[in-house]
Amino acid sequence: YGVGGLLPDRHPQGDFFLCDLFDWVPKDDLATMEHPVFTLSTRPDRRILRYAHNGAEIEVTPSVKGLATIHDKDILIYCVSQLMAALNAGRPTSRTLHLRAHDLLVSTNRETSGDAYRRLREAFERLAGTRIVTNIATGPKDDPLEVTTGFGLIESWEIVRKTRGGRMVSVAVTLSDGLYRAVLSKSVLTLSRDYFRLRRPLERRIYEIARKHCGRQDHWRVSVDTLL
């Protein structure tokens, strides 16, 4: 697959992503699949990003630790997927999710070393610190809600339990109201599990743009300027 290829499938067993109650399929929200919210940089990115296209306007402001990255987005995909699985099963949901850190790492094809837990905590910090001001419409297509608002990618997070060695065991994540509303309205699309094996940020970004716009069409046309 291209230069560099896919990352290895580090966890081929299938039962690890059962989050106590249900199986899950990777789901991503439509708004962040289409619009640029996450940095593709692998180094701390402290730029303020501004974007406007077809009436949608976005301003993304980092914290001192930098913008949330496209790899940090794995956490949101995992949360959205768990919520959608619960909704489809008729179970009650909440903006606050209690997750096992090990399950999150394994489900998103990450290593489970001590350094991986440290990087996971840094991802939570960037997600909570990155602020967005936008007028993107969310909700059903026949009755969208368009409000200019500011929010973090996640509202808050906390480590609920640690091991004696200091590794997080379970964590609570509270999603932004906008993202939770998008899930409730099922404004999501299914991703391939191989998404988590894409090595490079640009590969992930191109995949989600193509997945959002192509859908079930044979092809989709976009100018290079617009894609850029």
Side-chain angles (χ1 to χ4, degrees):
Y1 173 84
V3 179
L6 292 172
L7 292 168
D9 186 354
R10 297 189 176 101
H11 312 284
Q13 298 298 323
D15 59 353
F16 56 80
F17 50 78
L18 295 174
C19 188
D20 292 334
L21 297 175
F22 44 77
D23 198 350
W24 66 284
V25 175
K27 303 282 186 180
D28 200 356
D29 72 289
L30 296 175
T32 62
M33 290 180 75
E34 178 171 3
H35 303 291
V37 173
F38 298 88
T39 180
L40 304 185
S41 175
T42 56
R43 298 181 178 181
D45 188 348
R46 298 183 178 89
R47 297 173 297 162
I48 296 177
L49 304 182
R50 294 180 178 88
Y51 167 84
H53 183 67
N54 288 344
E57 298 179 1
I58 305 171
E59 182 176 273
V60 188
T61 304
S63 70
V64 294
K65 298 198 173 182
L67 293 165
T69 72
I70 195 75
H71 285 93
D72 295 343
K73 189 182 181 182
D74 289 355
I75 295 171
L76 300 186
I77 293 173
Y78 182 78
C79 291
V80 167
S81 305
Q82 294 293 338
L83 289 173
M84 282 303 304
L87 287 172
N88 291 335
R91 301 182 184 277
T93 62
S94 168
R95 277 205 300 141
T96 300
L97 293 83
H98 291 264
L99 311 172
R100 288 200 297 257
H102 180 269
D103 288 354
L104 172 57
L105 291 172
V106 172
S107 297
T108 54
N109 199 45
R110 296 181 177 220
E111 297 176 350
T112 55
S113 63
D115 193 49
Y117 284 89
R118 177 188 60 79
R119 291 195 298 269
L120 183 60
R121 173 170 177 159
E122 291 174 351
F124 283 126
E125 292 173 341
R126 285 189 296 268
L127 286 168
T130 298
R131 307 296 300 178
I132 298 173
V133 175
T134 181
N135 67 342
I136 293 177
T138 61
K141 290 183 179 180
D142 57 347
D143 186 25
L145 181 65
E146 182 177 325
V147 178
T148 299
T149 184
F151 55 91
L153 290 167
I154 60 176
E155 184 172 299
S156 63
W157 64 277
E158 64 177 350
I159 297 174
V160 179
R161 189 159 60 91
K162 285 185 176 182
T163 64
R164 291 182 178 179
R167 291 188 186 182
M168 67 177 76
V169 176
S170 59
V171 62
V173 181
T174 300
L175 302 180
S176 69
D177 183 62
L179 179 57
Y180 184 61
R181 206 165 51 236
V183 174
L184 294 182
S185 66
K186 299 189 176 180
S187 298
V188 301
L189 283 176
T190 300
L191 304 181
S192 166
R193 288 197 182 278
D194 284 340
Y195 171 83
F196 298 116
R197 297 176 62 195
L198 292 174
R199 182 187 306 271
R200 295 173 178 163
L202 185 58
E203 292 175 337
R204 291 187 171 211
R205 184 68 185 123
I206 290 175
Y207 169 83
E208 65 178 4
I209 291 173
R211 176 68 185 91
K212 164 63 173 64
H213 290 284
C214 288
R216 299 180 184 274
Q217 302 177 93
D218 293 333
H219 67 277
W220 169 63
R221 186 184 300 274
V222 61
S223 71
V224 173
D225 287 342
T226 300
L227 182 61
L228 180 60

